[in-house]
């Protein structure tokens, strides 16, 4: 090594470079953790599931207070308005396949009666393509169709099936809610590898009932508190503009969000900045369990983002400090390369001379 090189400074530069590498590794690990927990949020990927050829779609969710709940007629009117908006934006909606879809739901507690006993259950009353947005983990059977002429199929979670039937594989068996007879068409798992999901799903057993069936119990009423759509989004903001134009949104009583890029770096940075306000509720909306799961994950990712920013800041500082020390040490790759070439040339010359001497005849 050149005598002008300050070896102490060069070694210090190397140590600090290792700090930079360690920080980069930690940031990568934290990003992997965020990707893992965010991938558990199924409804934000409804656009990917709906898209036929991979074109970009946005997932938009609207939640209302009970006092501002929507009726099925309003939902259908919104759907027609969205169709009109897409047509005005030159999006063809006249083909055989639908270019967008939607679902609506409400959270209730009803008494479910089976042959074994009856049990109060959390009930997700739903309509539209609910199972596109929420692809539950079916153990037996499958979801019901959005068919007003045959609304009597229900989906139970395994806990409710066990409590009111004494068994889990009960697809095709009858139960009732109030005086309304229903047929079990599917059984879903109430568990998933996500703490946020387990917590927000709750301990009370759950069932999923079509909104048409609920109407037969309760009569037509404005009970819908969640409306979800997935729309084509060729450019950023296109889908939200269509939706806001088609739907009447009262900002005082509703919450509206595009969830497609919910866990993007930009959104996580914004959530990190507002983290101390995350537990402050400014509305009276009772969010469904999947939105509460997403909100808990928002909070977790914001906390992780704090550690990422701190680690990345240390890493960036370490990179520039190592870079500065490296050049101030006097070390030069060009000089060292030339020195190495000179040394290798000398060694090769010595070996050549020695070989030549061995080949000379003895005098």
């Amino acid at each position: 090594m050149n005598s002008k090189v300050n070896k102490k400074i060069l070694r210090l530069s190397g140590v600090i470079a290792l700090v930079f590498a360690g920080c980069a590794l930690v940031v990568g690990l934290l990003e992997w953790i965020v990707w893992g927990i965010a991938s558990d949020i199924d409804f934000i990927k409804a656009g990917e599931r709906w898209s036929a050829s991979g074109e970009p779609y946005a997932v938009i969710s609207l939640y209302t207070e009970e006092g501002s709940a929507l009726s099925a007629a309003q939902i259908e009117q919104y759907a027609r308005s969205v169709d009109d908006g897409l047509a005005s934006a030159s999006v063809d909606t006249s083909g055989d396949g639908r270019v967008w879809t939607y679902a609506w739901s409400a959270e209730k507690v009803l008494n479910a009666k089976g042959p074994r006993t009856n049990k109060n259950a959390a009930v997700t009353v739903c309509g539209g393509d609910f199972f596109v947005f929420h692809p539950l983990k079916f153990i037996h059977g499958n979801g019901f169709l959005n068919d007003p002429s045959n609304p009597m199929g229900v989906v139970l979670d395994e806990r409710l099936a066990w409590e009111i039937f004494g068994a889990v594989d009960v697809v095709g068996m009858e139960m009732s809610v109030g005086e309304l007879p229903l047929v079990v068409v599917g059984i879903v798992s109430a568990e998933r590898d996500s703490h946020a999901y387990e917590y927000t799903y709750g301990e009370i057993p759950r069932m999923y009932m079509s909104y048409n069936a609920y109407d037969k119990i309760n009569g037509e009423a404005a009970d819908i508190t969640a409306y979800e759509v997935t729309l084509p989004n060729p450019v950023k903001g296109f889908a939200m503009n269509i939706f806001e134009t088609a739907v009447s949104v009262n900002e005082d009583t509703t919450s509206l969000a595009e969830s497609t890029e919910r866990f993007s770096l930009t959104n996580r940075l914004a959530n990190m900045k507002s983290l101390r306000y995350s537990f402050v509720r400014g509305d009276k909306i009772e969010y469904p369990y999947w939105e509460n799961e997403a909100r808990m994950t928002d909070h977790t990712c914001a906390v992780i983002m704090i550690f990422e920013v701190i680690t990345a800041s240390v890493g960036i500082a370490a990179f520039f400090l190592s870079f500065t020390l490296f050049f101030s040490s006097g070390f030069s790759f060009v000089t060292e390369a030339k020195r190495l070439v000179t040394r290798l040339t000398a060694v090769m010359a010595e070996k050549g001379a020695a070989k030549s001497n061995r080949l000379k005849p003895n005098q």
Side-chain angles (χ1 to χ4, degrees):
M1 186 175 291
N2 195 308
S3 59
K4 294 182 180 180
V5 174
N6 189 319
K7 297 180 181 179
K8 289 185 178 180
I9 293 179
L10 185 61
R11 282 195 293 270
L12 181 60
S13 172
V15 170
I16 296 175
L18 289 176
V19 173
F20 163 72
C23 289
L25 182 62
V26 170
V27 169
L29 178 62
L30 292 175
E31 279 293 302
W32 179 78
I33 292 172
V34 167
W35 177 85
I37 60 179
S39 65
D40 286 328
I41 313 298
D42 286 325
F43 75 90
I44 69 175
K45 294 176 283 189
E48 297 176 22
R49 290 188 289 271
W50 186 257
S51 175
S53 56
E55 64 270 24
Y57 269 69
V59 177
I60 300 172
S61 303
L62 182 149
Y63 304 105
T64 76
E65 297 179 3
E66 285 194 3
S68 300
L70 307 171
S71 67
Q74 285 176 287
I75 294 295
E76 294 306 320
Q77 176 58 51
Y78 289 160
R80 289 190 291 270
S81 296
V82 170
D83 277 334
D84 292 342
L86 290 171
S88 297
S90 300
V91 176
D92 185 10
T93 61
S94 61
D96 294 334
R98 292 176 294 158
V99 300
W100 73 286
T101 192
Y102 59 100
W104 65 94
S105 59
E107 295 293 299
K108 304 293 179 182
V109 175
L110 300 173
N111 189 266
K113 184 178 180 180
R116 182 185 185 189
T117 187
N118 62 318
K119 181 75 176 181
N120 281 342
V123 181
T124 299
V125 179
C126 48
D129 285 309
F130 180 82
F131 296 108
V132 170
F133 289 86
H134 307 282
L136 306 175
K137 183 179 179 181
F138 281 88
I139 302 171
H140 303 289
N142 45 50
F144 46 79
L145 299 175
N146 180 32
D147 184 357
S149 65
N150 183 26
M152 300 313 177
V154 292
V155 172
L156 312 183
D157 73 14
E158 55 191 323
R159 294 189 302 211
L160 183 59
W162 181 258
E163 293 203 26
I164 67 173
F165 284 98
V168 173
D169 188 1
V170 294
V171 171
M173 297 184 68
E174 291 189 357
M175 56 167 292
S176 62
V177 174
E179 299 300 319
L180 181 68
L182 300 165
V183 176
V184 179
V185 297
I187 303 295
V188 296
S189 173
E191 299 180 358
R192 200 172 68 193
D193 294 332
S194 165
H195 172 71
Y197 178 88
E198 298 286 353
Y199 181 81
T200 58
Y201 187 88
E203 294 297 325
I204 183 172
R206 179 176 294 274
M207 64 181 289
Y208 301 84
M209 173 190 293
S210 77
Y211 200 84
N212 294 306
Y214 179 71
D215 275 350
K216 293 181 179 296
I217 300 172
N218 196 57
E220 291 189 19
D223 285 342
I224 299 167
T225 53
Y227 181 40
E228 301 165 285
V229 305
T230 181
L231 289 167
N233 196 38
V235 295
K236 190 173 183 178
F238 174 86
M240 181 61 81
N241 181 61
I242 293 291
F243 187 81
E244 288 184 317
T245 302
V247 175
S248 301
V249 177
N250 184 336
E251 294 182 357
D252 294 329
T253 58
T254 61
S255 173
L256 178 65
E258 182 180 335
S259 297
T260 319
E261 298 183 359
R262 187 163 189 157
F263 300 102
S264 66
L265 182 63
T266 302
N267 286 345
R268 285 186 284 132
L269 283 169
N271 289 339
M272 181 192 74
K273 294 175 183 178
S274 60
L275 186 61
R276 61 177 175 169
Y277 304 113
S278 60
F279 292 108
V280 177
R281 288 290 298 271
D283 58 51
K284 299 177 182 178
I285 299 172
E286 294 295 329
Y287 294 100
Y289 69 86
W290 57 85
E291 176 62 21
N292 281 327
E293 178 193 8
R295 286 172 174 252
M296 281 187 67
T297 306
D298 283 337
H299 183 271
T300 300
C301 290
V303 172
I304 293 174
M305 195 74 236
I306 292 174
F307 288 99
E308 283 195 60
V309 169
I310 293 172
T311 305
S313 299
V314 172
I316 292 170
F319 173 81
F320 283 108
L321 181 57
S322 176
F323 189 79
T324 302
L325 289 173
F326 177 81
F327 279 97
S328 66
S329 71
F331 182 88
S332 168
F333 282 112
V334 173
T335 301
E336 288 302 310
K338 288 180 179 179
R339 187 181 66 80
L340 182 60
V341 170
T342 301
R343 184 175 177 181
L344 289 173
T345 302
V347 170
M348 294 299 294
E350 289 176 5
K351 288 184 177 181
K355 184 177 181 180
S356 177
N357 289 333
R358 286 196 302 271
L359 295 176
K360 286 181 180 180
N362 292 330
Q363 297 296 327

